[in-house]
Amino acid sequence: MAKYRIAWLPGDGIGVDVMDAARIVLDKLGLDAEYLHGDIGWEFWCKEGNALPERTIKLLKETDCALFGAITSKPKEEAEKELIPSLQGKGLVYSSPIVGLRQLFDLGTNLRPCKAYEGNPLNYRDGIDLVVFRENTEDLYSGVEFFPFPKEVFESIKAKNKKIARFEKYGLDKVAVSMRIISEQASESIVTDAFEYAKKYGYKSVTVVEKPNVIRETSGLFIRTARKVAQKYPGIALWETNIDAMCMWLIKNPHDYGVIVTSNMFGDIISDLCAQLVGGLGFASSGNIGKDYAVFEPTHGSAPKYAGQNKVNPMATLLTAKLMLDWLNEQDKAAALENAIAKVIKDGKVRTYDMGGKATTLDVARAVAANL
Ligand code: NAI
Ligand code: MG
């Protein structure tokens, strides 16, 4: 039996293209793994009314981790229209399978490394080497939302906090609310992961990004928890910045930062900013990591206009495979893969269109494999 069982989830669109590329590289590395295909994505929504079928969840439970390509998502009304006729009008509601996976497997940590590999023409500046830790399950993405604002919820809040009263004049059917919910447990867990990472890879500081001067309760709890965690790591400094200022600092002095930790929505925004500093979607890898399971995915979507054309940059997915190898504690293979990726970027001969080249997705994978 193979050492690892890895769920293989290409999804749809260019997810399929980039996962084919990842396989070339993993096979060349000789990872002792069995890859088990799982159905996920738009096709299964249309045919079965579920983009994340039960059989796929079962498969994931029987594997060590998953590598995921990308999937197409569409707004509610459009999604309903694309269901096969026999499923229409049954009240099925599309929900994102990746958000589902994060909640189902308690994948509380979203890890987004952003490194400017030498010779990448898309680097904003050379030498940038950042990692963003984004809390993955709470905050404004908890899914606790209302529209219209239910009267009883409004009244019970008003009894505790008079500031809400000024919205009454608009009428509650003109007011929407999404709740920002943050727990001490999830905050402690994400900040601990960030500090452990800093310790493991020799970073001297961790920067916590919030907005506690305005969002006093939720950001306040996050920051206080970060300070408590930081005390356990005397050799590593805790820096605190506000999200708005941080966006400026990252553009002005990106080299000042190493490990960044934040809550879900700020993390969503800032990790895209950081990704663009080092080449954008073609280079942005990520891991959704829980205590017992992890799902690794490039952060780009299914880019339908390029689907099946063997055209997009597979580097994000190859870097994602490297993250997976790190998580599996296959350090030698992870390092070998990263070196091979870095070499192909530096050589500059095999580049996809986004880097100004003409090479295909699989050309890039083969070039990386040749350097292993
Ligand atoms: P997208 O990331 O799919 O593509 C946006 C544009 O970025 C593409 O048209 C292309 O020009 C460029 N791009 C993306 N990946 C690239 C790569 N590997 N190499 C070179 N260029 C690349 O985002 P978009 O167009 O907003 O969404 C398309 C679909 O993907 C939607 O249905 C959306 O819901 C879904 N999506 C899925 C995600 C996931 O699977 N986790 C994440 C983001 C979007
Ligand atoms: Mg995002």
Side-chain angles (χ1 to χ4, degrees):
M1 217 175 98
K3 189 171 174 195
Y4 303 112
R5 288 166 63 80
I6 296 175
W8 195 259
L9 311 175
D12 55 59
I14 61 164
V16 177
D17 305 44
V18 294
M19 288 287 277
D20 286 346
R23 191 61 160 270
I24 289 175
V25 168
L26 288 169
D27 284 348
K28 181 73 189 289
L29 273 170
L31 184 69
D32 185 8
E34 195 184 340
Y35 301 101
L36 299 134
H37 178 96
D39 293 338
I40 189 168
W42 196 246
E43 181 188 343
F44 303 97
W45 161 254
C46 299
K47 286 199 309 209
E48 303 176 23
N50 187 357
L52 177 60
E54 280 303 323
R55 61 182 178 280
T56 303
I57 296 171
K58 180 164 178 286
L59 171 82
L60 298 194
K61 287 182 176 156
E62 292 162 358
T63 54
D64 297 296
C65 64
L67 194 61
F68 169 67
I71 46 158
T72 302
S73 291
K74 296 185 188 176
K76 211 168 132 189
E77 288 75 23
E78 226 173 302
E80 160 95 47
K81 273 193 217 129
E82 290 195 27
L83 283 169
I84 55 168
S86 61
L87 291 175
Q88 292 201 9
K90 294 223 157 105
L92 291 165
V93 180
Y94 181 82
S95 67
S96 157
I98 190 73
V99 173
L101 284 178
R102 286 170 183 164
Q103 286 167 1
L104 210 57
F105 288 86
D106 224 351
L107 307 174
T109 294
N110 192 255
L111 170 64
R112 301 258 312 240
C114 300
K115 192 162 168 178
Y117 289 96
E118 200 184 327
N120 183 352
L122 302 174
N123 284 344
Y124 172 64
R125 283 179 207 160
D126 288 340
I128 297 171
D129 183 3
L130 294 162
V131 183
V132 179
F133 281 81
R134 162 188 170 195
E135 201 289 321
N136 220 7
T137 57
E138 306 194 330
D139 191 356
L140 280 166
Y141 300 10
S142 306
V144 185
E145 307 189 272
F146 302 99
F147 181 75
F149 205 153
K151 176 110 177 114
E152 62 281 14
V153 179
F154 185 87
E155 291 302 334
S156 67
I157 295 174
K158 198 167 83 176
K160 298 270 181 212
N161 189 331
K162 296 276 171 285
K163 284 186 182 149
I164 203 170
R166 75 187 170 93
F167 292 98
E168 218 160 10
K169 64 174 179 281
Y170 303 123
L172 297 186
D173 59 333
K174 299 275 188 284
V175 180
V177 60
S178 304
M179 284 175 75
R180 186 176 204 232
I181 306 179
I182 285 191
S183 74
E184 185 175 325
Q185 285 81 352
S187 307
E188 183 176 330
S189 172
I190 188 78
V191 177
T192 301
D193 279 3
F195 271 92
E196 282 297 322
Y197 187 95
K199 191 167 123 186
K200 183 169 170 190
Y201 293 101
Y203 288 90
K204 295 277 171 275
S205 67
V206 169
T207 304
V208 58
V209 183
E210 277 300 320
K211 186 84 183 177
N213 54 334
V214 179
I215 318 174
R216 291 175 181 276
E217 299 307 339
T218 44
S219 283
L221 179 64
F222 197 95
I223 293 276
R224 285 197 304 280
T225 308
R227 288 178 191 154
K228 209 163 21 170
V229 171
Q231 286 172 2
K232 295 188 209 145
Y233 300 87
I236 304 168
L238 177 71
W239 294 351
E240 298 175 16
T241 58
N242 284 339
I243 177 67
D244 45 349
M246 187 66 182
C247 292
M248 293 200 301
W249 291 122
L250 278 169
I251 301 295
K252 187 156 185 261
N253 301 322
H255 299 105
D256 286 359
Y257 299 95
V259 178
I260 294 169
V261 62
T262 183
S263 49
N264 204 343
M265 192 179 72
F266 295 158
D268 195 4
I269 295 167
I270 215 163
S271 53
D272 276 12
L273 191 162
C274 290
Q276 198 55 45
L277 297 176
V278 300
L281 288 172
F283 292 87
S285 60
S286 81
N288 302 280
I289 300 171
K291 294 274 175 286
D292 316 306
Y293 200 75
V295 177
F296 297 90
E297 52 162 339
T299 64
H300 62 72
S302 61
K305 69 178 177 205
Y306 296 123
Q309 292 180 26
N310 189 23
K311 178 165 177 170
V312 296
N313 196 341
M315 286 300 188
T317 309
L318 303 186
L319 290 164
T320 300
K322 182 247 170 209
L323 270 187
M324 180 180 79
L325 293 168
D326 274 332
W327 186 79
L328 291 169
N329 264 321
E330 292 284 344
Q331 304 314 353
D332 293 346
K333 288 191 165 52
L337 176 52
E338 187 176 27
N339 289 337
I341 290 169
K343 179 135 196 324
V344 170
I345 295 172
K346 192 171 174 187
D347 287 351
K349 293 192 210 95
V350 185
R351 287 177 169 172
T352 44
Y353 79 96
D354 54 319
M355 297 175 79
K358 289 199 163 65
T360 67
T361 309
L362 297 184
D363 289 340
V364 173
R366 286 187 210 108
V368 171
N371 278 292
L372 283 166

